[in-house]
Amino acid sequence: PRFILQPAFEHKGHKERAITYKADFKVTYASGKVEIVEIKGYKSRDYVMRKKLLLYKYPHLEFKEVC
């Protein structure tokens, strides 16, 4: 699944692309609970920043990291 962290916008005639986060898996349980699962071998600076933005913008998500 892909989440929009910041939508695309235009600034002084220049189009800026959206900032997105693409998770590895979205697990939906029979109870209706949804869990986002991320598999990581290495946590890059970019990943850490996007994860923080994801958790800030979507606080209702259950997020699980597998390292």
Side-chain angles (χ1 to χ4, degrees):
R2 186 175 301 271
F3 299 91
I4 296 177
L5 303 176
Q6 177 182 306
F9 65 97
E10 192 171 317
H11 178 69
K12 296 182 181 180
H14 183 264
K15 292 182 180 179
E16 296 289 345
R17 296 185 314 189
I19 299 173
T20 61
Y21 178 85
K22 185 175 180 223
D24 291 328
F25 300 99
K26 176 182 175 184
V27 180
T28 304
Y29 296 94
S31 65
K33 175 185 169 186
V34 176
E35 185 175 65
I36 304 302
V37 180
E38 183 67 39
I39 310 298
K40 281 286 162 217
Y42 172 75
K43 294 180 184 179
S44 67
R45 283 193 295 166
D46 184 61
Y47 165 73
V48 172
M49 185 242 349
R50 287 176 192 256
K51 176 187 159 191
K52 286 180 183 180
L53 289 171
L54 176 79
L55 296 175
Y56 177 77
K57 185 160 183 183
Y58 301 96
H60 62 282
L61 291 178
E62 291 289 327
F63 186 84
K64 181 179 182 180
E65 277 181 323
V66 179
C67 299

